[in-house]
Structures are given as structure tokens and as C-alpha cells.
Amino acid sequence: MSTKSKYILSCQNLRKGFTIGSERRTVLNDCNLNVEPGEFVAIMGASGSGKSTLLHILGLLDQPEQGTVMIEGKNVFTISKSQQDKIRNQQIGFVFQFYHLLPELTVEENVILPSMISHSFFSWLSNKSKVKKRASELIESVGLTKQTTQWPNTLSGGERQRTALARALIQNPQILFADEPTGNLDSVAGKAILEILCNLNRSGQTIVMVTHDKAVADLADRTLVLHEGKLS
Amino acid sequence: MYKLLFIWRYFMKRRMAWMAIVAVTLVVMLIVTILNIMNTILNDTKSNNHRWSGDIVISRDSLVGFPYYENFLTKLNELNAITATTPVIKTYAIIELNSLQVYGIQMENFSNVTDFHKTLFHQKNSENPTLILPENQTLRPDQHPLTAEQKKRGCILGCYWITTDLEQLQLAHETRLRPERQVPIDITIFPINSKGSLTGSALGETQRFWYMDACQTGLVDIDQATAYVDFDELQKLTFMDGQDGSPARISEIRIKCKPGYDLTETHTKIQKLWDNYIATFKNQTDYHLLSDVKVQTWELYRRSFIVPVEKEKNVMTVTFSILSVVSAFIILAIFYTIVTEKIKDLGMIKSIGGSNWGVQQIFIGYGFSIGLVGTFFGVLFGCLLVINSNHILDFFGIQIWNPKIYAIDKVPNTIDINQTIAIALVAILFSTCAAIIPAMKAGKLKIVEALRID
């Protein structure tokens, strides 16, 4: 189901809760959000308020109990699993607080992995050089040219997060989700990541970022606070 | 493409995968070795029994034997399906106070049916193998004067009656055992008349034979306690030649079918022919000697010797199949551990668009490659072990089988290609299947749950 919308991302009446022991805890309750193309939105909230859960639902990593998520006017939870996989692969980029690099792959391989997933064997053979070129440009843009062939366990935290950022951008996603991207970094490395995000946004990249740091949130065009399951 | 990359990287970087490969290699090597050896023993047992028995045997389980065989032999030789027949006399005798079986055979006919000449040490390549010594034969000096008749009697002994060192025996036949150095063998036989009573001399009939040759049929019961003498000689000594006025008797008729003829069909035909034949003797007083004669295929005739080997092979196959299942569970456990360790990575792959099936394929492909590599080395080492088993045992001075018990002085080292391919395919299949359950677990993982795991 696809309708024309001025929002690149929107969600309506999202509800999500967890059962911990015998206690039921609702973290999202009629949560609504609209994001315009090119916008940089920061979502703040107290620890355990459901910021990451909201981001996971928006990024198709989790499912809501109720409500809709529209990406470019398409209700993403009414489409097939394989179409959802495709959206995750091509329309969304995700940067996690703990990087989640794959330890068996080098920096370059981590970066090109989303592109490898989207290609069949033969299509990969014919597009390999193009993808590698794009990957090396991205690696250069995040300042990791010397680390291209290194394994993730030899990188610093900042380098790992920059690798994760390059991986999130390899498919030219419409939306970049960042879940506490500087939460696990020192101030210098965090600043470098934020600079890259701001530059990306200036070049038209839509970014939805979760943070609990007011200074980080101030870099965004709009800051929303998640409180009692609702964004305000 | 990413699946191949992950399979390769998991393969090269996971030590646990190497353990799984070692497990597969060892099990495959063990199964290839044991089953090839057991299979060769079974095949050799069957083929040796088949060769020595001929295709079909007409016999009676009694030392008395059965009469009226001459006309039946003529009838048999008229059948299209039959290429050769031979009468055999089987009795028990004493040599140097040891008991043994003595077969009376017509050398040429017996060889035509059973390829007996090929089992001989001295006359293996002779065009006319014989049990009759040549007339100009110079025998060892003997204190008793010999008649011309006595000088002709040759005797062939089962090789293990003489020695277990067959190489020395072969050497002796090639170098030292020239005709002028023949050894006298006194065989005492107890003649039995058609009524089943001892006849002739109460102390048995002792005759001097001359050792001519040794034979190795590959059948332990035959090679360690059997002597072969001339058919006519033995028939006379056992009083089965009719010298007591009763019809001449024999113990067995061995039959060889023409190549291409169906054995079961020919067996049925001969059984019918025999039934019709003996019906004409119904009114004879010695009809009872014919009525319990059995017409059997070689497999039935030697069943008591083949079945234990078959059972042993089946027990081995079952035992090692269970071992294979155990190793499949070990591989399953290893894969399960790998999946558990890689849950976060799998969640990550899914978060960037990897499908459930794609993630499952990584693990199924991983299991397949472990199976493939492990099986390759297992087959390689197994075959090398089988082929070189005798060299290895010789090097360490180990003898696994006592030839006097097993009729095997060497480990059978023939590789059954089809069986080995079957083992390899099953091993690869098992390894792949062992990866399916963890792969399904990996496929069903919820992304968020996977990523939350520390």
C-alpha cells in the first residue's frame, strides 16, 4: 500500500510494551512521528523511556503491537518479509551505539556487506569494482583509508563507529537511523562522528538520531522528547 | 555472494570448525577402513566358497553317499545350461594320528568346475594338473618295496595343514620340492558299506600316498584339514566302488553353469531333473540313499560358513552407523555452539537486509563444507590406511588374524569404490543435516533480540 506523502518517514499510533516477569510495561503508547526528507531529527528521553525501541520499530528491526510505520508513503508492516529485507538493505541505514561490526570481515568487507547482500552471485561479479570504488570513497570520507584491510578488533572505538557509519551509507539510504552513535565514544571520537552526521545532513541526508545528550541533540533540526510513550 | 564469504571466513577463522572437520575425518576414515576390510573379507569368503563349490552341488549329509550317479551325470551333461560336472567322494581319514577330510576328485573335471588347479602351489600354471605321479618318478628311499600302483598315488594337502608360513611354502615349491624329494603320506580310511556299517579291515585301510602339491582355496575349514586324492583310488579304498556288490556310490556332484545362465532357474531345473530321476528307483532297496540327497546352490551349500561372516559385517555396519550418528550429534553440538556465539552477528546481517533463508544458507553451506573437507580427508586417509595396512602391520610386527583361524594371512586391502562413494555421500549429507537445526534457529532469530545479546 503506497500513498503520496510529504513525509519520508511517519508513524501513527505506535504501541509497544514488554512483559518483565509478571509485570507489563508499555514503552510506546500512541506514539506519532513525521519526518520530512532532509530533516535531522533527534529523539531524547530518559533511560528506559523506549527511544531505542522506537528507532528499532522505525528501522524495521522490531514490530509494533499496534500502529503503522510509513516509509516514503509505504506501510512497511503490511508488506512481505522479503520486501522488508529489501527496505532494510536499500532504503535504511543503521548506526548502533555498539557498532555491531562483523569480526570475521575486514573494514572494507564490513562496509560493502549491504551491497553484497543486495547482489546475486553473477550480478556481484559484474558490479564488484563499482561497489568497491564507492566503498573506498566512503572509507576515505570517514578517514579510514589506512585501516581498509584491518580486522575490527584492531580498531579503536571511534574507528569502529566510522566503519559502521560507512557501512550504513554504502547503499545511499533515504533515511539514516543512529542509535546513540556517540554513546560509547570519547569526546574527540564522538565529535568526529557528529561532524560527519552534520555534513551528511547538509548534503540532504535524512537522519533520525536517538540520544540522551542534550548537546548532541542540539545539532539536529528538531528535537523530540519521548515521555510516557509519547513524542512531544 | 555474502554467504560464500561468510562460509569461507567462518571456515578459516573458527577453530571449532576445524574440530568438526577432525571429527568428520576420523569417523569417515574409520568407516572407510573397517567397511572396506569387512566387505573384502565377505566378498573373498563368498567368491572362495563359490569357486571351491562350483555353482550347484548335489550332496548327501552322510559318509555313505548315494548310488546311481553315472546316468545322472550323463543327463546333466546334456543340459544346455551346464558347462562341467564332476563326482566327488568325501570321507574322513587319519594321517599321523590327526583326523582330516579326504576328497576323492577327478583332477581335470574338478578343476573345470571349481578352478581347483589355480589354488595349487606347484601345478598352478600346469596345463595338465594331476594327482597321478609320472611313471619315471624317483621316490624317496623307502624300506618297503612299492608296487607300480603304489608309486602312482599322489596327494594334495591343504596349505595350512603343512604350515601357516605360505611364503615359505611357495618358496619351497619353487625351489626345493622337486619330484625326487617327495614325502610319503600314509592315510588311513574307514570304509563304510551302503548300510552305513564299517566294512573291510576293522583297523581301517591304510594306503601310502606321495605328497605332490599344496592348495590354498582361501577356506579355512578346507585348507587346514583336507587332503585330495584320486577319485578312483578313494572310491576303491572306501568300498564305494561297488566291490561289495552294491552299486557304486559318491558323496557329491559338483556342477558349473555356463556363463550368463540364471543360477536359480538352473537350480530349479536340476532339482526337477533329480526328482524325476530318483523316481525311477523308488522300488530299489537303497532308494533311501537317494531320497535325502540335496540339490543346492553354492550359497546354500556353504551357508554355515558364509552367514557368520555376513553377520559380522552387518554388526560392524550397524556399530559404525551408530558411531556416525554420534559424530553427527557432535557436529550438531559444535554448530549449535557456533550459532549461539554468532547470534549478534546474525542479527546484524539481518538488520542490513540479510534474509532468514540467506542466514540459514550460511550455516547449511558451512555444514556442507565441513562435511566435504572432513569427508575428503577421511576417505583419503581411510584409503591410504587400507592400501598400506599390511606394510604398517609388518613395520610394527603385528599379525591381526591368525591364518589357522581366519584363513587370512594379510589384511584385505581392496577398496570398494562404490561403497566408499556411498560412505562419503552419507557423511556429507549427515554433516549438512547436522547444520540444519542450528541454521533454522539462526533463521528464526528476531533481529532486536539478537542485537541485544552481549
Side-chain angles (χ1 to χ4, degrees):
Chain A
M1 190 167 48
S2 176
T3 52
K4 279 210 164 180
S5 165
K6 70 169 186 168
Y7 302 115
I8 192 166
L9 171 72
S10 69
C11 69
Q12 303 296 322
N13 308 319
L14 281 189
R15 179 187 283 270
K16 179 80 177 176
F18 300 101
T19 304
I20 301 161
S22 57
E23 195 186 332
R24 174 81 188 158
R25 188 167 158 225
T26 303
V27 289
L28 298 177
N29 189 11
D30 283 336
C31 182
N32 300 302
L33 170 71
N34 292 311
V35 179
E36 288 181 22
E39 203 177 0
F40 189 168
V41 177
I43 298 170
M44 289 190 70
S47 185
S49 60
K51 307 183 293 290
S52 292
T53 302
L54 174 63
L55 207 68
H56 289 153
I57 291 171
L58 295 176
L60 276 75
L61 305 184
D62 202 357
Q63 279 203 309
E65 288 162 4
Q66 188 188 299
T68 56
V69 173
M70 313 281 276
I71 292 176
E72 289 199 309
K74 193 187 283 179
N75 186 343
V76 293
F77 289 113
T78 59
I79 59 175
S80 67
K81 290 262 182 206
S82 64
Q83 282 175 303
Q84 287 182 9
D85 292 338
K86 206 171 173 184
I87 288 174
R88 273 199 297 269
N89 181 256
Q90 292 175 0
Q91 289 180 258
I92 291 172
F94 226 107
V95 179
F96 300 92
Q97 182 180 355
F98 297 104
Y99 338 118
H100 292 323
L101 297 180
L102 293 153
E104 273 84 12
L105 306 184
T106 62
V107 167
E108 187 190 40
E109 286 163 347
N110 264 288
V111 172
I112 63 175
L113 184 61
S115 191
M116 284 177 97
I117 289 173
S118 67
H119 285 96
S120 66
F121 183 78
F122 292 108
S123 136
W124 170 252
L125 292 181
S126 56
N127 287 290
K128 190 177 168 183
S129 55
K130 209 161 54 178
V131 174
K132 281 203 160 192
K133 194 176 168 220
R134 161 94 178 129
S136 67
E137 283 168 7
L138 279 170
I139 289 168
E140 193 184 343
S141 72
V142 295
L144 290 173
T145 311
K146 285 181 184 168
Q147 287 84 357
T148 306
T149 55
Q150 284 187 17
W151 302 105
N153 60 0
T154 64
L155 302 176
S156 67
E159 288 169 337
R160 289 182 198 192
Q161 193 61 299
R162 280 182 277 154
T163 306
L165 193 54
R167 178 179 65 190
L169 296 170
I170 187 82
Q171 296 280 71
N172 289 315
Q174 277 98 331
I175 309 160
L176 179 68
F177 292 103
D179 185 4
E180 305 262 19
T182 58
N184 207 31
L185 302 177
D186 59 42
S187 60
V188 178
K191 200 177 163 194
I193 292 293
L194 290 172
E195 260 180 42
I196 297 169
L197 287 176
C198 289
N199 288 337
L200 281 169
N201 178 243
R202 273 195 284 276
S203 61
Q205 178 70 56
T206 308
I207 299 173
V208 178
M209 179 177 70
V210 160
T211 182
H212 61 269
D213 187 337
K214 180 80 174 63
V216 172
D218 286 345
L219 295 169
D221 301 331
R222 182 157 60 112
T223 301
L224 300 166
V225 178
L226 186 64
H227 181 65
E228 292 184 345
K230 289 185 173 62
L231 281 171
S232 54
Chain B
M1 186 64 201
Y2 74 101
K3 297 160 208 160
L4 290 177
L5 178 68
F6 274 100
I7 291 168
W8 174 246
R9 284 293 156 78
Y10 281 165
F11 202 79
M12 296 307 290
K13 295 196 82 176
R14 309 296 304 166
R15 295 278 156 83
M16 215 172 264
W18 299 358
M19 286 181 213
I21 290 172
V22 172
V24 176
T25 300
L26 289 176
V27 170
V28 170
M29 187 178 87
L30 206 62
I31 293 173
V32 165
T33 308
I34 299 295
L35 289 193
N36 269 308
I37 289 174
M38 287 309 296
N39 206 38
T40 314
I41 290 175
L42 179 60
N43 288 343
D44 284 356
T45 304
K46 281 187 172 178
S47 75
N48 290 340
N49 276 288
H50 188 181
R51 187 171 65 169
W52 186 77
S53 310
D55 290 325
I56 293 167
V57 181
I58 301 173
S59 63
R60 185 162 181 265
D61 294 335
S62 162
L63 292 178
V64 176
F66 61 92
Y68 310 121
Y69 64 92
E70 296 95 335
N71 288 339
F72 192 69
L73 277 172
T74 314
K75 281 178 185 288
L76 281 176
N77 288 325
E78 285 166 1
L79 290 178
N80 280 336
I82 287 166
T83 185
T85 59
T86 186
V88 173
I89 290 178
K90 178 183 166 186
T91 189
Y92 290 91
I94 290 175
I95 299 181
E96 294 166 4
L97 293 178
N98 289 309
S99 67
L100 84 166
Q101 297 180 99
V102 180
Y103 281 84
I105 58 171
Q106 295 170 346
M107 190 58 156
E108 192 183 342
N109 286 337
F110 193 69
S111 291
N112 286 342
V113 174
T114 67
D115 284 341
F116 182 66
H117 59 292
K118 291 181 184 168
T119 69
L120 300 178
F121 281 65
H122 191 61
Q123 302 182 82
K124 194 182 285 179
N125 301 317
S126 165
E127 283 185 11
N128 298 305
T130 179
L131 273 162
I132 312 290
L133 271 72
E135 283 194 9
N136 58 354
Q137 183 75 49
T138 312
L139 296 168
R140 258 167 53 141
D142 194 84
Q143 54 187 351
H144 304 293
L146 296 170
T147 63
E149 194 66 21
Q150 283 173 319
K151 283 185 178 178
K152 282 164 60 179
R153 290 189 191 116
C155 169
I156 293 172
L157 291 174
C159 57
Y160 295 124
W161 173 265
I162 305 163
T163 177
T164 54
D165 191 344
L166 299 186
E167 279 179 22
Q168 280 301 318
L169 188 64
Q170 183 65 47
L171 196 67
H173 278 276
E174 283 167 7
T175 57
R176 298 197 308 275
L177 267 179
R178 296 293 171 212
E180 65 275 14
R181 307 186 78 177
Q182 302 293 13
V183 185
I185 295 168
D186 291 330
I187 302 181
T188 303
I189 287 160
F190 303 94
I192 296 172
N193 64 23
S194 60
K195 289 181 180 126
S197 313
L198 280 172
T199 187
S201 160
L203 296 173
E205 299 289 327
T206 303
Q207 276 294 347
R208 172 150 295 184
F209 290 82
W210 299 90
Y211 175 74
M212 281 191 76
D213 211 335
C215 71
Q216 186 189 11
T217 62
L219 306 174
V220 67
D221 59 315
I222 303 296
D223 288 341
Q224 68 180 14
T226 302
Y228 301 85
V229 298
D230 181 64
F231 176 83
D232 293 332
E233 283 291 341
L234 193 61
Q235 201 176 33
K236 209 183 292 172
L237 279 172
T238 51
F239 281 49
M240 290 172 87
D241 63 343
Q243 58 185 278
D244 60 354
S246 61
R249 286 168 285 129
I250 56 168
S251 308
E252 296 174 351
I253 297 174
R254 306 270 181 103
I255 300 162
K256 188 176 177 110
C257 298
K258 278 185 185 155
Y261 273 86
D262 182 70
L263 188 60
T264 317
E265 206 175 286
T266 312
H267 169 250
T268 312
K269 203 181 276 180
I270 292 173
Q271 178 72 64
K272 206 174 277 176
L273 189 70
W274 175 256
D275 292 342
N276 291 337
Y277 178 71
I278 63 167
T280 59
F281 298 97
K282 256 192 176 155
N283 298 325
Q284 302 286 339
T285 51
D286 48 7
Y287 176 72
H288 67 280
L289 298 179
L290 297 171
S291 58
D292 57 354
V293 168
K294 291 175 188 163
V295 180
Q296 294 170 296
T297 61
W298 65 271
E299 272 179 302
L300 270 176
Y301 177 66
R302 296 288 296 175
R303 188 176 51 188
S304 57
F305 297 92
I306 297 170
V307 168
V309 183
E310 257 173 352
K311 276 188 183 164
E312 204 170 322
K313 193 213 165 186
N314 290 340
V315 168
M316 284 285 192
T317 307
V318 170
T319 308
F320 285 95
S321 301
I322 293 168
L323 192 65
S324 313
V325 174
V326 171
S327 78
F329 275 100
I330 292 170
I331 295 162
L332 180 93
I334 291 172
F335 280 175
Y336 220 84
T337 312
I338 292 171
V339 170
T340 310
E341 273 187 353
K342 304 311 288 179
I343 280 180
K344 191 179 272 189
D345 292 1
L346 299 176
M348 187 58 229
I349 294 168
K350 284 187 178 185
S351 78
I352 53 174
S355 64
N356 286 351
W357 175 227
V359 168
Q360 284 168 351
Q361 277 177 300
I362 292 174
F363 277 89
I364 293 170
Y366 190 32
F368 174 77
S369 6
I370 285 175
L372 193 70
V373 175
T375 301
F376 171 78
F377 286 114
V379 168
L380 181 73
F381 295 147
C383 289
L384 286 174
L385 191 63
V386 171
I387 291 165
N388 295 299
S389 49
N390 289 310
H391 299 301
I392 295 167
L393 292 175
D394 286 348
F395 181 78
F396 290 106
I398 300 167
Q399 187 179 44
I400 292 186
W401 285 294
N402 181 346
K404 278 219 159 190
I405 298 168
Y406 295 97
I408 301 165
D409 54 342
K410 296 283 178 196
V411 178
N413 57 359
T414 314
I415 302 290
D416 181 334
I417 305 272
N418 290 335
Q419 183 180 257
T420 308
I421 290 173
I423 293 168
L425 292 178
V426 169
I428 294 168
L429 187 71
F430 262 45
S431 306
T432 312
C433 288
I436 286 176
I437 296 172
M440 282 170 68
K441 182 189 173 189
K444 282 180 187 165
L445 276 177
K446 286 188 176 170
I447 301 171
V448 159
E449 286 173 11
L451 290 175
R452 273 199 198 116
I453 291 170
D454 288 323

